[in-house]
């Protein structure tokens, strides 16, 4: 399948020519015009920029002590980089992620979700259940980019279904069908598709009536499911106003 159909789902807008970042089993798109906060990050002082560079270098040099020393830095960008440095050097502890996921700054919370997904997929989080519970809670974060990162992380982690609490799917489904932000609804729909639990089918089908970017993701999210309602919905999508929805449905219906 072509990236324009299966990868670029324009969660932050409708421009499918935006630069994409793909990661893991289900694909995530980050665009430069994603969100005002993403376009215009707070100005960083020279001092904090230097400390951020030190934290990054510590990760490359496997200098745990230096990286860990930046976890309590007053600048959020430095704290986020320090977490990444510890992950790079394979010295990250569960307690570090717990601190990051509860950080007062959304930049750190978002980065912590992304790192958690990577670490979980690599099998380096023995206490992953507790961390997953925190990520589920972040689906209600007031910052929509944190919510989006949390949904994406749960979709990545969810290949290990045993680590998600029984109510996690219902929380993700509630975001998919009721969040005020299309970005978050789309990310949640993608997570439901990645998880592949049949109980998510009604929520994914409901997303087929959302705005175009969410409908595009919803069609792709139906791929794991075999159900008469799914087949009927894909047939209906052949007449969708959006060409990407139509093409995705056509691809799925043609798949043996």
């Amino acid at each position: 399948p072509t990236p324009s159909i299966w990868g670029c789902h324009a969660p932050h807008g409708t421009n499918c020519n935006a630069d994409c970042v793909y990661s893991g089993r289900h694909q995530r798109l980050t665009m430069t015009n994603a969100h005002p906060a993403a376009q215009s990050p707070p100005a960083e002082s020279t001092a904090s920029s230097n400390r951020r560079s030190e934290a990054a270098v510590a990760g490359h040099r496997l200098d745990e002590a230096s990286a860990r020393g930046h976890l309590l830095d007053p600048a959020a960008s430095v704290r986020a980089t320090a977490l990444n440095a510890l992950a790079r050097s394979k010295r990250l502890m569960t307690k570090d992620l717990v601190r990051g996921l509860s950080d007062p700054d959304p930049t750190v919370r978002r980065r912590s979700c992304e790192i958690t997904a990577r670490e979980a997929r690599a099998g380096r989080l023995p206490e992953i259940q507790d961390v997953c519970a925190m990520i589920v809670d972040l689906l209600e974060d007031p910052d929509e980019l944190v919510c989006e990162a949390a949904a994406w992380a749960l979709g990545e982690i969810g290949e290990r279904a045993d680590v998600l609490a029984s109510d996690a799917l219902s929380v993700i489904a509630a975001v998919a069908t009721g969040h005020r932000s299309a970005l978050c609804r789309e990310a949640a729909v993608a997570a439901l598709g990645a998880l592949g639990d049949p109980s998510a089918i009604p929520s994914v089908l409901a997303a087929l009536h959302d705005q175009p970017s969410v409908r595009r993701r919803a069609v792709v999210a139906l791929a794991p499911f075999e159900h008469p309602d799914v087949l009927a919905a894909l047939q209906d999508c052949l007449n969708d106003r959006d060409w990407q929805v139509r093409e995705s449905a056509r691809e799925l219906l043609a798949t043996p």
Side-chain angles (χ1 to χ4, degrees):
T2 60
S4 61
I5 297 171
W6 296 92
C8 184
H9 56 283
H12 309 299
T14 57
N15 177 12
C16 292
N17 293 319
D19 293 334
C20 297
V21 175
Y22 303 111
S23 179
R25 188 165 73 97
H26 74 290
Q27 296 170 335
R28 182 184 183 204
L29 179 73
T30 302
M31 291 171 32
T32 54
N33 63 345
H35 185 278
Q39 293 183 55
S40 305
E44 187 175 30
S45 70
T46 300
S48 61
S49 177
N50 289 340
R51 296 195 305 275
R52 180 166 55 84
S53 296
E54 291 171 0
V57 169
H60 287 280
R61 293 180 175 175
L62 309 183
D63 185 350
E64 179 182 1
S66 179
R68 194 167 295 285
H70 288 89
L71 287 176
L72 299 178
D73 194 277
S77 62
V78 179
R79 298 196 299 276
T81 301
L83 283 169
N84 208 53
L86 287 171
R88 173 183 286 276
S89 60
K90 297 181 175 58
R91 296 294 187 273
L92 189 71
M93 299 180 183
T94 302
K95 66 178 183 179
D96 302 324
L97 285 174
V98 168
R99 180 188 291 115
L101 291 168
S102 57
D103 193 276
D105 192 280
T107 301
V108 183
R109 298 196 299 275
R110 186 168 69 247
R111 181 68 62 82
S112 298
C113 288
E114 296 164 353
I115 294 173
T116 298
R118 293 203 309 264
E119 294 295 292
R121 287 176 62 84
R124 291 194 289 264
L125 281 181
E127 300 166 342
I128 189 174
Q129 285 88 349
D130 294 338
V131 179
C132 281
M134 294 186 70
I135 294 181
V136 171
D137 289 342
L138 289 180
L139 290 172
E140 299 179 354
D141 197 279
D143 187 291
E144 67 181 55
L145 294 182
V146 174
C147 175
E148 183 270 340
W152 173 82
L154 290 170
E156 290 287 285
I157 295 168
E159 290 187 351
R160 294 181 52 191
D162 59 302
V163 305
L164 294 180
S166 58
D167 63 341
L169 272 174
S170 63
V171 179
I172 300 171
V175 175
T177 57
H179 200 282
R180 68 185 184 279
S181 166
L183 165 67
C184 297
R185 296 196 302 275
E186 183 183 352
V189 168
L192 293 175
L195 293 168
D197 191 296
S199 67
I201 291 176
S203 298
V204 180
L205 292 178
L208 292 173
H209 303 285
D210 207 313
Q211 69 179 48
S213 64
V214 182
R215 297 202 306 274
R216 293 172 198 145
R217 176 50 72 178
V219 174
V220 178
L222 288 173
F225 303 113
E226 294 183 7
H227 189 279
D229 291 345
V230 171
L231 180 60
L234 289 173
Q235 293 285 355
D236 290 342
C237 286
L238 295 175
N239 298 314
D240 194 274
R241 297 186 305 275
D242 185 86
W243 74 268
Q244 286 186 297
V245 173
R246 298 194 302 271
E247 190 63 27
S248 295
R250 191 173 295 114
E251 291 275 357
L252 281 176
L253 290 169
T255 302

